[in-house]
Amino acid sequence: MNVLIADDHLLFRDGLRRLLAQFDADMTFFEASTYDEVRSLCDGTRPFDLILLDLGMPGWNGFSALGDIHVNLPKALLVVVSGSEKRSDLLAALENGAAGYIPKSSSAKVLLGALQLVLAGGIYLPEQAIRGGDRVDQMQGGYGGGAAGDQMDDTAAIGNGSGGGDQLTPRQRDVLARLRDGKSNKQIAHELGLTEGTVKVHVTAILRHLGVRNRTQAALTAQSL
């Protein structure tokens, strides 16, 4: 397995490399400390299997950079490992092709569990983004716009791409049923006792899981499930 670790802190890269070597001794590691180096390595000539990427490296020019990597290496699993715990950053990462978002405050056990989920075909969302919305949105140092804080109430693990409804969490199935009925985020939030920010996270996860691009396609898929 070819793994790219992209972070501007050498100590963090070393620690992550040592941790992952325990996870799988057959990994071959590449490293980058700037986005220029990431772009050079991710030009499509190297078959990366897993890319672990920090958002705040020198050369960061917005979440479109993640989309560019995803286009060049569509088979690579892209996981953001970031100091930002803002929901808006998490959403932007998912929307630009990330298969997971791991806060740097996570333990080694959580990080390895998240990578196991991603490598098995799932999408990892941090638990605090699901259960602790106030903390997520009030953290400083994010890389995108903010969102209103709220309490989120579902599991962090979801399926990844062209899956069936049986792999969605119960709350995501509730949201999908209302998407099928043509309801807006505001209406869904009111009916389920959530905020619109929470609903948006669930909708984004549902679109990724079902492998569709918009709410209309998700609604059509829901009707066929």
Side-chain angles (χ1 to χ4, degrees):
M1 181 180 294
N2 291 328
V3 180
L4 172 60
I5 300 175
D7 193 282
D8 57 334
H9 292 94
L10 176 59
L11 185 62
F12 186 82
R13 296 199 308 273
D14 285 346
L16 198 53
R17 188 178 63 251
R18 292 175 185 272
L19 181 64
L20 292 176
Q22 299 175 21
F23 177 70
D24 186 343
D26 292 330
M27 288 183 173
T28 299
F29 294 102
F30 299 80
E31 296 185 23
S33 60
T34 69
Y35 267 95
D36 285 340
E37 294 176 1
V38 170
R39 281 187 285 269
S40 177
L41 288 167
C42 295
D43 59 0
T45 61
R46 295 173 180 82
F48 286 117
D49 301 291
L50 178 65
I51 300 172
L52 304 176
L53 188 73
D54 181 27
L55 297 180
M57 290 186 298
W60 170 253
N61 60 355
F63 284 94
S64 61
L66 303 186
D68 293 340
I69 295 171
H70 189 60
V71 168
N72 288 339
L73 298 169
K75 294 183 179 181
L77 295 169
L78 176 60
V79 178
V80 171
V81 183
S82 175
S84 169
E85 299 184 21
K86 294 187 70 175
R87 180 184 289 108
S88 53
D89 289 343
L90 182 154
L91 281 169
L94 285 180
E95 290 168 353
N96 283 278
Y101 193 102
I102 306 174
K104 287 186 175 180
S105 59
S106 302
S107 67
K109 181 179 179 180
V110 167
L111 187 144
L112 289 178
L115 293 181
Q116 286 179 323
L117 173 67
V118 170
L119 291 171
I123 296 175
Y124 178 79
L125 304 179
E127 184 176 357
Q128 59 264 47
I130 300 298
R131 301 186 184 278
D134 289 333
R135 178 171 179 263
V136 171
D137 286 328
Q138 291 172 8
M139 289 289 290
Q140 298 298 314
Y143 299 98
D150 54 57
Q151 290 295 322
M152 306 184 68
D153 59 355
D154 219 329
T155 179
I158 63 175
N160 183 11
S162 301
D166 58 324
Q167 294 184 9
L168 294 173
T169 67
R171 179 61 77 199
Q172 288 161 1
R173 288 197 293 272
D174 290 340
V175 173
L176 181 59
R178 286 159 177 80
L179 287 178
R180 179 194 59 203
D181 296 336
K183 294 182 178 178
S184 66
N185 285 357
K186 185 175 183 179
Q187 291 172 313
I188 295 172
H190 177 73
E191 291 187 11
L192 296 181
L194 305 172
T195 68
E196 289 187 60
T198 299
V199 172
K200 184 175 181 181
V201 169
H202 286 310
V203 170
T204 300
I206 289 167
L207 297 183
R208 285 295 309 276
H209 171 69
L210 297 179
V212 298
R213 297 178 63 86
N214 55 51
R215 298 166 67 95
T216 300
Q217 292 176 353
L220 292 173
T221 301
Q223 293 174 6
S224 67
L225 292 176

